[in-house]
Amino acid sequence: MVVTEQPLGTDGAAWGTPKIFTGVLKTVNTGEVDSDSNDPRMLETGMVTADAT
């Protein structure tokens, strides 16, 4: 699993050097399901990182 943290300027454009995290997926939380709703569903993931560059 790879996660990138990218700084953004006030205009939303990427700037600076991103941080890249690599690791292994540890958890997935799928949240609640409501079949009567059109609201987006939130998924939460967790990972164990090995390093940051």
Side-chain angles (χ1 to χ4, degrees), residues 28-53:
V28 177
N29 182 356
T30 58
E32 296 183 16
V33 178
D34 184 355
S35 62
D36 296 325
S37 175
N38 290 328
D39 291 341
R41 186 172 175 185
M42 173 90 56
L43 295 175
E44 179 181 14
T45 61
M47 78 179 210
V48 177
T49 60
D51 61 345
T53 58

Side-chain angles (χ1 to χ4, degrees), residues 3-42:
V3 175
T4 303
E5 179 182 58
Q6 176 67 59
L8 301 177
T10 56
D11 60 354
W15 67 271
T17 304
K19 288 184 183 178
I20 301 170
F21 301 90
T22 58
V24 177
L25 181 64
K26 181 178 178 182
T27 60
V28 177
N29 182 356
T30 58
E32 296 183 16
V33 178
D34 184 355
S35 62
D36 296 325
S37 175
N38 290 328
D39 291 341
R41 186 172 175 185
M42 173 90 56

